[in-house]
């Protein structure tokens, strides 16, 4: 089996994306079960309000002497897991009135070190970082070591070693793909517990199974079918058909497509940060613009709530620009692109014309991005529509380097009823 080893840059990128959905500052907490075992440890808890639901994450680092035997390591590990179960109960009590879907995750890192400073300051354990113990939690662990009643505990705490969790973040790349893997993981755990047959040996094996499953494209296919139904496109997306069939048939090209999507995901995240920074600078230069930090955070969440395939399509649209005719590049043009993660999000990509007399010139278009978004929101015959994202794209080529300066406006849309949409379309037709 191929062992995934994420790079630090990959982990930083995913961590930055998740941070956009963080609901409260991280907090060091004390877990009584571990504390009573006289183990040195550090614990942090996180709450991410992702578009698909709440992710509650508990990160535990155990610091043990390198001379410890395997039996004592396992005892310490079990004490950490027992504390996580108590932590989940507390979370459930605090969020019992919240109907949103929720997943509870424990990441556990066991560090062995020859030199350990036993001092504790403000609940922060000061130690010299040692080597991590290689460990994993397959389905067998939940069946044989961690006995749970799935009828009493339908939302099992999902447990990962620190290394497996890092591999998961680096591979899924996006918050929505991470959520779907957690859903896939818990389904496999529940199946294993109910059937008595372990469905996977390790989390990394299950991750590879997930990345090569039809689940990777199921949401995109459902949205693609809806777009055809709403007559917003004439036929299914050819790239989606090709890539999903390659995945389904385990074609040799499937791995290549997956790499393309992962690369596009990184580029989209980088461009999203750039867009927000550019919008913030524009606001600073024009105080009359009604934007604030909270709005920018909401904009960032909309941009990052895109799947691997959805990001692939957006980046592919951007990179097609140099292949357009010189006449189109001079005059400028508009492309409508829909999100393949959320049916209610629509993109309008305006490629600025390079000619000074172009109607799509940046000087003319940039001040009107909000008006364009509002106009598109009125015209789109989509009941589910909730956000229109307008991108004003300035393509810059400097020698062999290519840059995009992208102006951004995201317009929230108050949902119309189907009848209101039909009346709006009829009025537009009469006009």
């Amino acid at each position: 089996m191929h062992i995934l080893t994420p790079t630090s840059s990959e982990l930083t990128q995913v961590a930055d994306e998740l941070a956009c959905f963080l609901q409260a500052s991280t907090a060091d907490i004390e877990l009584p079960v571990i504390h009573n075992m006289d183990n040195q440890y550090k614990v942090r808890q996180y709450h991410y309000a992702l578009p698909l639901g709440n992710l509650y994450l508990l990160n535990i680092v155990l610091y043990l002497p390198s001379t410890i035997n395997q039996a004592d390591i396992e005892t310490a590990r079990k004490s950490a897991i027992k504390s996580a179960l108590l932590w989940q109960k507390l979370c459930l009590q605090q969020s019992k009135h919240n109907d949103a879907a929720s997943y509870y995750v424990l990441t556990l890192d066991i560090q062995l070190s020859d030199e350990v400073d036993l001092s504790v300051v403000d609940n922060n354990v000061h130690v010299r970082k040692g080597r991590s113990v290689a460990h994993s939690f397959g389905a067998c662990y939940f069946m044989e070591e961690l006995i749970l009643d799935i009828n009493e505990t339908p939302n099992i705490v999902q447990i990962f070693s620190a290394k497996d969790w890092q591999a998961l973040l680096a591979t899924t790349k996006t918050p929505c793909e991470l959520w779907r893997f957690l859903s896939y993981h818990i389904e496999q755990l529940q199946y294993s517990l109910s059937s008595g047959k372990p469905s996977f040996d390790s989390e990394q094996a299950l991750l590879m199974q997930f990345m090569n499953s039809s689940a990777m494209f199921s949401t995109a296919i459902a949205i693609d079918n809806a777009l055809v139904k709403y007559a917003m496109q004439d036929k299914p997306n050819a790239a989606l058909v090709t890539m999903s069939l390659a995945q389904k048939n385990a074609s040799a090209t499937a791995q290549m497509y997956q790499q393309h999507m992962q690369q596009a995901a990184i580029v989209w995240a980088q461009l999203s940060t750039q867009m927000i920074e550019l919008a913030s600078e524009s606001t600073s230069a024009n105080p009359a613009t009604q934007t604030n930090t909270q709005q920018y955070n909401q904009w960032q969440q909309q941009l990052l709530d895109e799947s691997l395939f959805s990001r692939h399509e957006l980046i592919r649209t951007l990179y097609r620009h140099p292949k357009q005719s010189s006449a189109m590049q001079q005059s400028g043009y508009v492309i409508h692109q829909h999100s393949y993660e959320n049916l209610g999000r629509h993109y309008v990509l305006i490629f600025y014309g390079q000619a000074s007399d172009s109607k799509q010139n940046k000087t003319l278009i940039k001040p009107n991005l909000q008006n364009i978004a509002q106009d598109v929101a009125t015209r789109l015959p989509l009941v589910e529509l909730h956000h229109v994202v307008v991108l004003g794209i300035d393509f810059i080529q400097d020698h062999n380097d290519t840059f995009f300066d992208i102006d951004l406006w995201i317009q929230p849309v108050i949902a119309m009823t189907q009848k209101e949409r039909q009346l709006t379309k009829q009025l537009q037709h009469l006009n």
Side-chain angles (χ1 to χ4, degrees):
M1 180 188 68
H2 175 60
I3 300 299
L4 300 168
T5 305
T7 65
S8 58
S9 60
E10 288 176 323
L11 293 174
T12 300
Q13 176 253 319
V14 180
D16 288 345
E17 291 198 33
L18 282 176
C20 291
F21 301 94
L22 191 63
Q23 289 304 288
S25 58
T26 59
D28 292 328
I29 61 174
E30 182 177 291
L31 297 177
V33 178
I34 303 179
H35 185 72
N36 291 339
M37 294 291 294
D38 293 326
N39 292 319
Q40 289 194 83
Y41 67 94
K42 186 172 183 179
V43 183
R44 304 206 86 181
Q45 60 178 343
Y46 307 80
H47 171 206
Y48 301 101
L50 302 179
L52 294 172
N54 291 304
L55 171 59
Y56 296 94
L57 176 65
L58 185 70
N59 174 249
I60 299 179
V61 182
L62 291 180
Y63 300 104
L64 305 175
S66 59
T67 55
I68 193 171
N69 60 47
Q70 189 61 42
D72 288 338
I73 291 177
E74 184 58 29
T75 298
R77 184 163 82 150
K78 286 182 177 179
S79 71
I81 294 171
K82 189 173 181 180
S83 281
L85 297 178
L86 295 175
W87 163 80
Q88 184 200 28
K89 287 183 179 180
L90 180 61
C91 290
L92 288 169
Q93 291 172 0
Q94 294 174 342
S95 60
K96 61 183 178 181
H97 299 299
N98 190 336
D99 295 330
S102 299
Y103 288 137
Y104 301 86
V105 172
L106 165 65
T107 64
L108 179 58
D109 187 17
I110 301 176
Q111 296 277 337
L112 301 185
S113 177
D114 292 325
E115 298 182 26
V116 182
D117 180 359
L118 299 179
S119 63
V120 179
V121 180
D122 294 333
N123 203 34
N124 290 319
V125 181
H126 296 273
V127 300
R128 176 174 294 181
K129 185 176 180 181
R131 60 181 178 87
S132 289
V133 175
H135 63 120
S136 186
F137 302 91
C140 282
Y141 187 86
F142 286 82
M143 298 169 65
E144 299 171 3
E145 303 293 335
L146 185 63
I147 308 300
L148 295 174
D149 186 343
I150 59 173
N151 295 319
E152 294 182 2
T153 315
N155 200 345
I156 303 168
V157 175
Q158 302 186 57
I159 308 172
F160 302 90
S161 69
K163 183 177 181 181
D164 285 347
W165 180 250
Q166 290 176 349
L168 169 57
L169 294 180
T171 303
T172 55
K173 288 284 190 291
T174 74
C176 48
E177 240 69 74
L178 169 62
W179 181 270
R180 274 190 279 273
F181 173 79
L182 293 176
S183 176
Y184 189 78
H185 183 239
I186 206 165
E187 286 173 3
Q188 295 299 314
L189 287 176
Q190 289 170 338
Y191 170 79
S192 299
L193 291 172
S194 61
S195 67
K197 299 177 181 178
S199 59
F200 62 96
D201 294 328
S202 68
E203 280 68 28
Q204 291 221 11
L206 187 66
L207 177 58
M208 291 296 94
Q209 182 179 312
F210 168 76
M211 295 299 293
N212 292 298
S213 72
S214 59
M216 289 298 300
F217 294 101
S218 56
T219 299
I221 291 172
I223 290 177
D224 199 47
N225 291 337
L227 295 176
V228 174
K229 176 184 175 182
Y230 280 115
M232 294 180 65
Q233 61 186 41
D234 298 330
K235 57 184 179 181
N237 183 310
L240 178 58
V241 172
T242 300
M243 295 168 76
S244 59
L245 284 177
Q247 184 94 321
K248 180 180 179 180
N249 299 324
S251 168
T253 57
Q255 189 64 30
M256 178 190 70
Y257 291 141
Q258 191 175 119
Q259 291 173 351
H260 287 174
M261 288 192 293
Q262 290 178 318
Q263 291 167 357
I266 295 172
V267 175
W268 179 252
Q270 293 169 343
L271 286 177
S272 297
T273 301
Q274 177 184 317
M275 291 180 218
I276 297 297
E277 290 175 350
L278 194 60
S280 178
E281 291 171 4
S282 298
T283 300
S284 300
N286 182 15
T289 306
Q290 295 182 354
T291 52
N292 52 49
T293 302
Q294 183 180 4
Q295 178 174 321
Y296 286 137
N297 188 56
Q298 292 170 348
W299 283 12
Q300 187 84 66
Q301 290 177 357
Q302 289 295 320
L303 294 173
L304 295 178
D305 180 32
E306 296 295 355
S307 63
L308 289 176
F309 180 77
S310 198
R311 296 186 187 198
H312 175 269
E313 290 302 277
L314 288 162
I315 294 299
R316 191 162 69 108
T317 302
L318 291 175
Y319 276 68
R320 280 175 175 168
H321 178 73
K323 299 179 181 179
Q324 303 291 356
S325 67
S326 177
M328 285 188 68
Q329 293 187 33
Q330 288 299 308
S331 63
Y333 57 95
V334 178
I335 291 181
H336 286 264
Q337 177 75 44
H338 209 81
S339 167
Y340 282 91
E341 171 60 24
N342 194 309
L343 184 58
R345 189 182 306 115
H346 184 81
Y347 287 86
V348 183
L349 290 82
I350 305 173
F351 289 85
Y352 294 137
Q354 300 303 309
S356 58
D357 60 347
S358 166
K359 293 182 179 179
Q360 306 288 354
N361 186 275
K362 180 175 182 176
T363 305
L364 298 175
I365 295 296
K366 183 177 177 180
N368 294 301
L369 294 182
Q370 183 177 3
N371 294 334
I372 293 169
Q374 291 171 341
D375 182 62
V376 171
T378 303
R379 293 174 180 273
L380 276 181
L382 189 62
V383 176
E384 293 85 351
L385 185 68
H386 56 69
H387 281 89
V388 174
V389 182
V390 180
L391 308 180
I393 303 158
D394 194 10
F395 182 83
I396 303 169
Q397 196 154 12
D398 182 19
H399 301 295
N400 294 326
D401 294 326
T402 300
F403 304 94
F404 292 104
D405 269 352
I406 304 179
D407 300 311
L408 171 69
W409 183 269
I410 300 182
Q411 184 66 42
V413 179
I414 298 175
M416 289 187 183
T417 64
Q418 183 65 43
K419 186 175 182 179
E420 288 173 333
R421 288 285 175 192
Q422 291 173 347
L423 291 173
T424 300
K425 287 184 67 177
Q426 290 173 6
L427 180 60
Q428 291 169 354
H429 180 71
L430 289 173
N431 290 336

